[in-house]
Amino acid sequence: MKERFMAKRSLLVGFGGFLPDRVVSNAELAERLETSDEWIRTRTGITRRHLVGPNDTAASMGAEAARRALEYAKLTAEDIDAVFVATATPDQAFPATAVRIQAALGMKQGFGFDIAAACSGFIFALSTADAFIRSGQIRNALVIGSEVYSRIMDWEDRATCVLFGDGAGAVVLSGSDNPDDRGILSTHLHSDGTAGDLLYVDGAVGQPDKSGHLKMSGRDVFRHAVGKLSSAVDEALEDEGLSYADVDWLVPHQANIRIIEGVAKKLNLPSERVVITVDRHANTSAASVPLALDEAVRDGRIQKGDLVLMEALGGGLTWGSALVRI
Ligand code: UT7
């Protein structure tokens, strides 16, 4: 019988991100919508966003972010056993975007599937991959968040279309039996379908008569976000016997600077310890946490050994956290 390698922890060993070339400023949106740079900046912190060109898709951007994460990890696609892709904007109903990415990377081994948890998708995918690694089923995984929300926007609806951007982020996870305290310490996932109508997409292939546009009751989602993310953060630390003072970096989902500041304030974390990309990327849904992580690891802010707390909330409602020692 083949003996399984039982990992104690999943380490984050590679980081990658991809943003499409086209940058759209608030002022450019204000040329064709009744909005202003001032409204968008003061309500959300967003100044610009990247939007896809005709040839970019969740699979193409996810594959590029994955290549960069593999390069960082000094691994190749042949080393990967599974690909987990968080996306609400897949290229097709099937095959899964994860399988398209496998093909783009030249992988014939292993398996891949998509995870639908909207803006919390990366946390859900990270948790899934971690469970596969610690159960001994796989050793190395790619965890990717990739989104093209520009294709599900109602570009006439100023209350939503100014908030989102496109992009992809990826990490490579690798099982380790080293007893030190690095790696994913815990993940906590939640969903509550009774709040499903606060943030949703009207349509899918099963409902061809619907518009397929994102709809949001922004004020209600905002209210849920601050409360639920604060308790997700408490839960993560309590379970590990850690306190706010132990957190080196908060890497939050990038929906709105006011929500991020609310959670950081609760943690008593100074703004220099919070990774912010919402100003330049807007809300890239499942891609926002891995894009922020990639940026802060590559520019040297997040260092090996740092305790990083990630959190996200999105349509579902779904929400959760991941506590990781890099
Ligand atoms: O990633 C998934 C999770 N999503 C979130 O976390 C988003 C959570 N929600 C939010 O971030 C905020 O609720 C928004 C940024 C979406 C909106 O901010 P708000 O302070 O809650 O504004 P509001 O929706 O209450 O709208 C205030 C006013 C309204 O006008 P009236 O009714 O007061 O006359 C809107 O019509 O602002 C108006 N408005 C705009 N004005 C200029 C809405 N969108 C715009 C716009 N430009 N783009």
Side-chain angles (χ1 to χ4, degrees), residues 31-279:
E31 284 169 18
R32 54 188 165 79
L33 274 173
E34 206 181 306
T35 189
S36 64
D37 174 55
E38 204 260 336
W39 190 96
I40 302 170
R41 255 186 312 104
T42 53
R43 298 284 171 135
T44 70
I46 297 165
T47 64
R48 57 186 190 266
R49 72 283 294 137
H50 291 250
L51 299 183
V52 287
N55 298 324
D56 298 309
T57 68
S60 71
M61 295 194 300
E64 192 47 41
R67 282 186 200 102
R68 294 175 188 182
L70 284 169
E71 202 179 315
Y72 188 104
K74 299 191 174 57
L75 294 174
T76 71
E78 281 178 22
D79 300 310
I80 298 299
D81 307 309
V83 180
F84 301 89
V85 176
T87 186
T89 48
D91 292 23
Q92 295 159 303
F94 68 84
T97 304
V99 175
R100 292 294 192 196
I101 292 175
Q102 263 189 304
L105 298 176
M107 285 174 64
K108 290 205 172 164
Q109 82 286 358
F111 64 90
F113 59 84
D114 291 358
I115 288 166
C119 297
S120 315
F122 181 75
I123 304 285
F124 279 56
L126 197 70
S127 179
T128 308
D130 178 43
F132 270 94
I133 287 174
R134 284 185 299 102
S135 73
Q137 288 195 66
I138 61 171
R139 187 157 185 164
N140 296 320
L142 270 165
V143 184
I144 301 164
S146 187
E147 302 279 21
V148 280
Y149 266 46
S150 60
R151 296 208 174 109
I152 55 166
M153 284 301 125
D154 173 355
W155 285 99
E156 309 283 305
D157 178 13
R158 67 176 184 174
T160 52
C161 74
V162 304
L163 304 174
F164 293 89
D166 300 326
V171 298
V172 179
L173 287 191
S174 189
S176 163
D177 57 1
N178 189 330
D180 70 14
D181 65 350
R182 290 180 55 225
I184 298 179
L185 307 187
S186 73
T187 55
H188 289 84
L189 308 182
H190 297 276
S191 54
D192 174 4
T194 64
D197 289 340
L198 297 183
L199 173 52
Y200 64 99
V201 175
D202 170 21
V205 286
Q207 290 190 324
D209 56 332
K210 298 285 172 70
S211 72
H213 289 145
L214 181 142
K215 315 272 179 191
M216 178 164 71
S217 309
R219 214 175 277 183
D220 293 322
V221 175
F222 191 102
R223 198 168 35 81
H224 278 283
V226 176
K228 287 185 163 55
L229 290 172
S230 295
S231 46
V233 158
D234 281 343
E235 177 182 47
L237 292 170
E238 264 164 38
D239 271 23
E240 292 302 310
L242 295 167
S243 73
Y244 297 159
D246 294 310
V247 177
D248 294 304
W249 290 99
L250 178 66
V251 181
H253 171 49
Q254 310 279 326
N256 186 318
I257 192 72
R258 292 186 288 147
I259 298 173
I260 295 172
E261 284 171 356
V263 176
K265 194 168 163 212
K266 184 179 164 52
L267 281 167
N268 215 7
L269 263 190
S271 54
E272 311 83 73
R273 292 270 148 187
V274 183
V275 181
I276 307 282
T277 56
V278 67
D279 53 336

